[in-house]
Amino acid sequence: MSLYPLKFTPLYKYRIWGGEKLKTVLHKNYQEDHIGESWEISDVKGDQTVVGEGILEGKTLKSLIEEYKEDVVGKTVYNAFGTDFPLLIKFIDAKTPLSIQVHPSNEIAKERHNSFGKNEMWYVMEAEKDAELIVGFNQQVDKASYIQALKSGNILNVLNNDIVSKGDTYYIPTGRIHAIGAGVMLAEIQQTSDITYRIYDYERVDAATGKTRELHTEQAVDVIDYSVSDSYKTKYTKPDNDTNTLVNSPYFKTNIVNVKGEMTKDYSALDSFVIYICVEGELDLLWNDVSYKIVKGETVFLPAAIDAVTLKSSNADVLEVYY
């Protein structure tokens, strides 16, 4: 079988709010300024990542699924999505705040854009002192009071701000208002979708265009979840050499695995691909008598046909993602 643990070549995205940490902290290889996103594994049309090494070098994920079908993604995923890959994996570096935004549900995204919706999660990898995320509301609002806050310039007053630190995790279902604040670098796991409704952008001008960015006020009003929660942050524990749940959604599952020493992961009963995202430290992945080194800021795709791998590290944290 030609399949093996795959590293894809990232795609780097200019963003008005992008910084330098993807280069200086995660050692990504690019020369441009204001790179805010590294798309690690993508099947977005026009932005497909390709295999970076080995006999499959240069192939897109879609072409691999066309050739190897369920051996790449698993029977359940192949039956549900065909040759479309359901997830998009990114690293994000916010030097200045992202716009305040919301994503539509699967149903609305299909109807309006012929796209998947965008349920997503964040895992904070680095956070400067007092860096914040905006997630949800801090008080009960309805459509009318939300529109009033937006028109009067008081929208920030009704949004929930959390000061964050390394390891903080948030699940962002469709409809939940959110924004990444200045000084945060994180890993993002999301459905394959690039549909974002921007509701507030600090009236800033994009140097690349000389214009303010488009807002999607009317589209957003109908998709926002106006409910309020006591806490939006995910609670979890992280014992050594164990698999600990972060997100268990219909769209993806994400666990965190702390590797100290050596551990074997058996996927023979799992009908899915597995993606490893190294968020701290470095480790060796052993499969079929070959060792693959994974360092902080690297992502590895395990085709569904791989039944087991061994992980070795003195101390590493890995996000484990599957369908």
Side-chain angles (χ1 to χ4, degrees):
M1 182 179 66
S2 301
L3 294 171
Y4 52 91
L6 303 170
K7 290 184 179 181
F8 287 81
T9 301
L11 297 172
Y12 302 118
K13 298 292 186 177
Y14 164 85
R15 296 292 184 255
I16 186 174
W17 39 261
E20 297 295 320
K21 288 180 184 173
L22 299 178
K23 183 190 298 182
T24 60
V25 178
L26 299 187
H27 307 295
K28 299 296 181 181
N29 184 23
Y30 59 85
Q31 305 305 319
E32 302 84 356
D33 295 327
H34 297 289
I35 295 298
E37 300 187 6
S38 174
W39 289 22
E40 297 288 301
I41 298 177
S42 170
D43 186 42
V44 173
K45 189 174 182 180
D47 282 305
Q48 296 178 322
T49 50
V50 299
V51 177
E53 55 193 24
I55 60 172
L56 299 175
E57 182 176 353
K59 288 187 175 289
T60 65
L61 193 48
K62 189 179 294 294
S63 68
L64 293 177
I65 299 170
E66 287 170 349
E67 184 172 354
Y68 297 102
K69 300 180 173 58
E70 61 263 24
D71 281 348
V72 178
V73 291
K75 290 179 182 176
T76 300
V77 173
Y78 187 72
N79 290 340
F81 301 103
T83 60
D84 293 332
F85 189 66
L87 299 183
L88 173 58
I89 309 296
K90 301 176 180 177
F91 295 116
I92 296 178
D93 168 34
K95 184 177 182 179
T96 58
L98 274 69
S99 64
I100 297 167
Q101 55 193 244
V102 69
H103 305 304
S105 66
N106 273 345
E107 295 73 23
I108 293 175
K110 179 69 174 175
E111 178 186 330
R112 294 182 181 176
H113 311 284
N114 194 30
S115 170
F116 292 128
K118 196 174 176 186
N119 291 271
E120 62 188 24
M121 70 160 284
W122 293 333
Y123 179 90
V124 176
M125 295 174 66
E126 303 275 343
E128 295 173 11
K129 187 177 186 300
D130 296 329
E132 295 181 331
L133 298 176
I134 291 175
V135 184
F137 293 100
N138 62 19
Q139 57 191 268
Q140 195 64 52
V141 298
D142 57 20
K143 188 182 292 188
S145 57
Y146 161 79
I147 292 171
Q148 177 58 33
L150 199 59
K151 286 181 175 178
S152 64
N154 294 320
I155 186 64
L156 296 175
N157 296 339
V158 301
L159 300 178
N160 174 67
N161 289 56
D162 282 3
I163 294 176
V164 293
S165 56
K166 183 183 293 189
D168 285 350
T169 299
Y170 291 80
Y171 180 55
I172 314 289
T174 59
R176 182 169 291 169
I177 284 185
H178 60 281
I180 302 170
V184 177
M185 184 179 71
L186 53 77
E188 180 176 273
I189 297 145
Q190 59 160 92
Q191 289 177 276
T192 295
S193 169
D194 208 23
I195 307 299
T196 293
Y197 294 162
R198 196 179 294 123
I199 64 175
Y200 182 75
D201 197 32
Y202 306 94
E203 299 171 5
R204 57 188 163 184
V205 173
D206 188 344
T209 64
K211 300 177 181 178
T212 57
R213 297 192 295 171
E214 181 185 4
L215 300 179
H216 308 91
T217 307
E218 295 300 321
Q219 292 167 294
V221 165
D222 291 334
V223 307
I224 291 172
D225 176 0
Y226 292 99
S227 62
V228 63
S229 176
D230 291 339
S231 175
Y232 297 94
K233 186 161 67 172
T234 299
K235 294 180 173 64
Y236 68 95
T237 57
K238 197 179 67 175
D240 296 346
N241 296 322
D242 202 357
T243 302
N244 311 284
T245 301
L246 295 179
V247 170
N248 184 359
S249 79
Y251 311 101
F252 55 84
K253 318 290 189 288
T254 301
N255 305 316
I256 188 163
V257 184
N258 176 250
V259 185
K260 282 187 177 177
E262 182 174 317
M263 63 186 296
T264 296
K265 296 289 295 183
D266 183 349
Y267 296 117
S268 57
L270 181 68
D271 179 28
S272 174
F273 61 88
V274 175
I275 296 169
Y276 286 149
I277 307 167
C278 185
V279 292
E280 190 60 54
E282 61 180 53
L283 69 155
D284 293 307
L285 183 155
L286 285 74
W287 175 78
N288 213 20
D289 297 324
V290 179
S291 179
Y292 302 82
K293 181 167 285 296
I294 314 172
V295 302
K296 181 178 180 177
E298 281 193 314
T299 302
V300 174
F301 182 96
L302 300 182
I306 292 179
D307 283 342
V309 296
T310 298
L311 306 178
K312 294 176 67 173
S313 176
S314 59
N315 190 9
D317 289 334
V318 179
L319 301 184
E320 174 191 57
V321 184
Y322 50 89
Y323 186 75

